[in-house]
Amino acid sequence: MAPHRRRVPSCRGNGKNDRIVHESLGQDTGTPLTKSRQKSAPFPSREDILRFVTESPGPVGRREIVRAFRLDAHQRTRLKRVLRDMERDGSLPSRRTRRGAKAVGLPAVTVLEITGTDTDGEVLARPLAWEGDAPPPVIYMAPEKRGRPALGPGDRVLARLARVRDPVSGGVAYEGRTMRRIDARPSHVLGVYETGDGRGRLRSTDRRTRNDFVVAPGDSMGAQPGDLVRAKVLPGRRLGPRRAQVIERLGKTEGAKSIGLITLHECGIPTQFTDQALAQAAAAGAAPPQGRDDLRDLPLITIDGADARDFDDAVWAEPDSDADNPGGWHLLVAIADVASYVRPGDALDACAYERGNSVYLPDRVVPMLPEALSNGWCSLKPDEDRPCLAAHLWIDADGAPLRHAFVRATMRSAARLTYAQVQAARDGMPDDDTAPLVETVVRPLYGAYGALAKARKMRGVLELDLPERRVVVDEDGVVTGIDIRPRHDSHRLIEEFMVAANVAAAETLAKAGQPCMHRNHDSPPLDKLEALRQFLDGLGLKLARGQVIKASQFNHILAKAAALPQAHMVNQVVLRSQAQAEYRPGNIGHFGLALGRYCHFTSPIRRYADLVVHRALIRGAGLGDGGLEEDHRDFTQMGEHLSGTERRAQGAERDAVNRFTAAYLADRVGAVFAGRINGVTRFGLFVTLDETGADGLVPARTLPADTYIHDAAGHCLRGRRTGREYRLGEEVEVRLTEADPLTGGMIFHLMDSGAPRPGRARTRPAAAPKKPGKKGKRRR
């Protein structure tokens, strides 16, 4: 069978063709045109122009484009306008950049290093020996052959490259196929020790590692079957089982609580405090009230989830008494004064900085600070005096900020309430805890929230509708259920109060000339925007070009999509198009919240970035001890470190949910579930189950017999022979065939009754064969 080219996998594809066809634009055909036959050539599309510019071997200007496309005088004027528009919207480099560009090319065979995956799970790589200031071309790795372990970040391979066209930019991209692995074996492995056949075996917790390691009797370090161990991979022959030596025993994996233990060690989450930090936390006591405002007479309350372990923020509101602010509000957001207990450079500070943030798993919390502080002196418990850093906020009737002030104070929480309790009280169903607070506390809070909600709507904050999965476990760590976390107005109330305080903190530091650890969220990258536009075009939804993108534009798209069967899919694709928020000292604003300046101030118990902001406020406002030191850490390096620890925590939380979910469904292997396709790659379909929100893979090799082409822009797999399509967001039925709590991996088999229905994977009728005419006969 003749070989075929498959589409380059990417979330940035245009999906107009099933496969990439290499074209040479503007080449001389060798047939001269007489004056009588000369006609104006068709004007090139923006995609044609961009493809020609990026694929040309030398510098490209307007003259080269005119010659290549044989444009007449009228078309040249039009080309000038088009090029200017493409430069303005960022889809085309400036003329200076185009003129100075050099040819980009890679050899047919080279050594690659795997860098990670894109949002669709496609494996990305870069050439190991890349020189020059320009970034290397995008390289997508083809799936490994059956039986070989999947490629992971850091792996090096000798690969054969095929040059293809990037479906979005029209530029150069490559598809790599592994010829041989180079130093692909990991130096260390985390796994469960088992015995059999007179020798030890190590089963890796990494789902990409498909084969066990052999452990010789003298290399087991006394490990017992079921122990979670860390081992060093030993050198050996390329063929045969790999060998490992146990270097650390981490505990037993018996019982449900081992899932959290495996996740923490695999993700490298620090779990032990130093003796000095524990001693310092144990010696902490009540902060003296001298030099602090007294807020103990105000009925501040904490509102958190029912499963919350620490309480670091309290809120209160009242109508503004200023006659010049009719309908306005005075808000108070009080935050635990962690800076009073954790001073720069001490033992607690060192541990907190290493962790960067607390990590929340379904069965446990790994706090940033020892429990003596996080659940003790820094937790705003009811009826107990606690030190706080409080923000007084004044807003008008439409939620616009008027002024603010930060004070150091002593407070006493009037109640520890849950989101459900507060919402029920608001809806006229108070309980014993909330009944005395409905008129004096709850109603004013919702009044202030109503004003803040108006301001939020005016700003055009990105409003995504994506439910959050919640895994419920008992005291023994056994999963008792998986459901969707409820979402009330009480959640939004707290969010808006916290956002208002965060903005006030960022503006205060800017005015005081103090360094600030900003929480930046950049606008979506151009390549992701282009992929999103092409995806939305397929649904009849338009995202404007040639203008500065705003979050409100996405909201218009989401509102139009709400009535479509693909509404959930559109929300997912919009989310995937967004940039990732990060911590940086420089300010670029927050795209998603539509704010020009933003930082994190409200959670210093669980985020080190918030503690840094507290210290800067204390120093800037002269609020006493514990302020930012003169020789503080470099904020740029600190921001990179804290952004990394945040991603590490998010990865651990996601992995833990996957493992607990796999454990919950392990005894239902063989059952059939309804679900929805939430990811499409060349190697298969990712499916989310409706009942539990569990995610698993349908390998492409298990789909009905055909050769499937990955349409990246259309987010679908399409059968070459049958035209059968599997699209992102479509409803499917799957049978669970594997559920591994050790790795969190689940494998599904697609149930296909052969009777497609709306919203399900469907079959396109194959085109009828054309009747051969004269040209057809000559071609035969």
Side-chain angles (χ1 to χ4, degrees), residues 142-449:
E144 295 297 281
K145 295 181 179 179
R146 185 179 299 184
R148 292 185 180 179
L151 296 172
D155 285 351
R156 295 181 180 182
V157 297
L158 181 67
R160 189 180 305 279
L161 298 180
R163 181 167 170 162
V164 292
R165 181 173 62 87
D166 191 303
V168 173
S169 69
V172 175
Y174 288 86
E175 181 183 55
R177 291 185 177 275
T178 301
M179 299 172 62
R180 177 168 57 87
R181 295 200 176 204
I182 303 173
D183 297 329
R185 301 183 180 186
S187 60
H188 293 82
V189 61
L190 182 73
V192 176
Y193 181 79
E194 299 170 348
T195 57
D197 300 329
R199 57 182 178 177
R201 303 190 74 86
L202 186 63
R203 185 183 174 205
S204 174
T205 59
D206 187 345
R207 71 179 69 180
R208 295 181 297 110
T209 305
R210 303 181 184 179
N211 298 316
D212 294 347
F213 294 81
V214 173
V215 180
D219 293 333
S220 66
M221 200 179 175
Q224 300 297 314
D227 282 355
L228 179 66
V229 301
R230 192 181 305 280
K232 179 174 65 175
V233 178
L234 300 177
R237 296 174 299 175
R238 291 179 56 194
L239 301 177
R242 292 174 290 179
R243 297 170 52 241
Q245 178 184 15
V246 176
I247 59 175
E248 186 179 5
R249 297 173 60 186
L250 302 172
K252 285 288 184 182
T253 58
E254 297 174 356
K257 289 190 175 181
S258 64
I259 294 177
L261 179 68
I262 291 171
T263 301
L264 294 176
H265 284 290
E266 186 177 69
C267 295
I269 305 295
T271 58
Q272 299 296 323
F273 290 100
T274 62
D275 293 339
Q276 295 88 339
L278 292 173
Q280 184 181 340
Q290 290 79 13
R292 296 177 177 271
D293 289 11
D294 192 347
L295 302 177
R296 287 175 289 186
D297 290 337
L298 293 180
L300 286 151
I301 62 172
T302 62
I303 307 175
D304 296 276
D307 55 351
R309 280 91 160 182
D310 46 46
F311 318 112
D312 54 3
D313 59 81
V315 293
W316 174 81
E318 67 173 353
D320 191 359
S321 58
D322 189 347
D324 293 333
N325 186 26
W329 296 89
H330 170 211
L331 289 63
L332 186 60
V333 178
I335 307 299
D337 190 358
V338 177
S340 290
Y341 297 97
V342 184
R343 300 301 176 91
D346 65 17
L348 282 171
D349 183 65
C351 287
Y353 180 74
E354 178 193 13
R355 297 177 180 222
N357 40 255
S358 299
V359 181
Y360 296 86
L361 305 185
D363 66 331
R364 71 189 72 197
V365 173
V366 182
M368 187 181 77
L369 299 172
E371 289 192 8
L373 292 181
S374 61
N375 292 354
W377 293 110
C378 293
S379 187
L380 306 181
K381 296 181 177 180
D383 303 320
E384 295 186 18
D385 291 356
R386 288 291 185 268
C388 66
L389 187 59
H392 288 276
L393 312 170
W394 286 269
I395 61 174
D396 66 16
D398 293 324
L402 301 178
R403 66 186 189 278
H404 53 260
F406 287 86
V407 299
R408 238 171 171 177
T410 301
M411 63 156 286
R412 180 180 296 163
S413 173
R416 179 271 195 262
L417 302 179
T418 67
Y419 292 111
Q421 281 181 294
V422 174
Q423 190 62 46
R426 166 67 171 173
D427 296 340
M429 296 174 288
D431 58 16
D432 294 341
D433 293 328
T434 57
L437 304 172
V438 170
E439 295 299 326
T440 58
V441 178
V442 175
R443 193 176 299 278
L445 285 175
Y446 274 90
Y449 162 64

Side-chain angles (χ1 to χ4, degrees), residues 559-684:
K560 292 179 181 179
L564 301 177
Q566 300 89 351
H568 181 79
M569 172 178 58
V570 173
N571 275 268
Q572 281 191 325
V573 177
V574 170
L575 174 63
R576 294 175 184 178
S577 72
Q578 303 302 307
Q580 187 168 22
E582 59 184 3
Y583 293 109
R584 289 290 183 270
N587 174 52
I588 64 171
H590 198 291
F591 176 83
L593 293 175
L595 293 168
R597 189 179 298 275
Y598 194 64
C599 72
H600 278 163
F601 157 78
T602 55
S603 296
I605 288 180
R606 60 185 179 88
R607 289 191 305 234
Y608 192 88
D610 300 51
L611 176 57
V612 172
V613 169
H614 275 229
R615 289 171 175 169
L617 287 169
I618 291 169
R619 186 174 80 171
L623 298 178
D625 297 334
L628 191 67
E629 69 275 31
E630 293 296 334
D631 57 341
H632 55 74
R633 290 187 177 96
D634 180 79
F635 266 48
T636 299
Q637 294 180 2
M638 193 190 313
E640 293 174 355
H641 169 73
L642 297 178
S643 297
T645 60
E646 178 188 43
R647 290 191 292 269
R648 179 179 67 184
Q650 291 170 345
E653 292 163 7
R654 182 174 56 250
D655 289 352
V657 168
N658 289 339
R659 286 187 169 95
F660 276 103
T661 304
Y664 182 64
L665 296 176
D667 59 352
R668 300 180 66 182
V669 170
V672 176
F673 300 90
R676 190 181 296 270
I677 298 173
N678 77 349
V680 180
T681 68
R682 282 183 304 172
F683 53 81

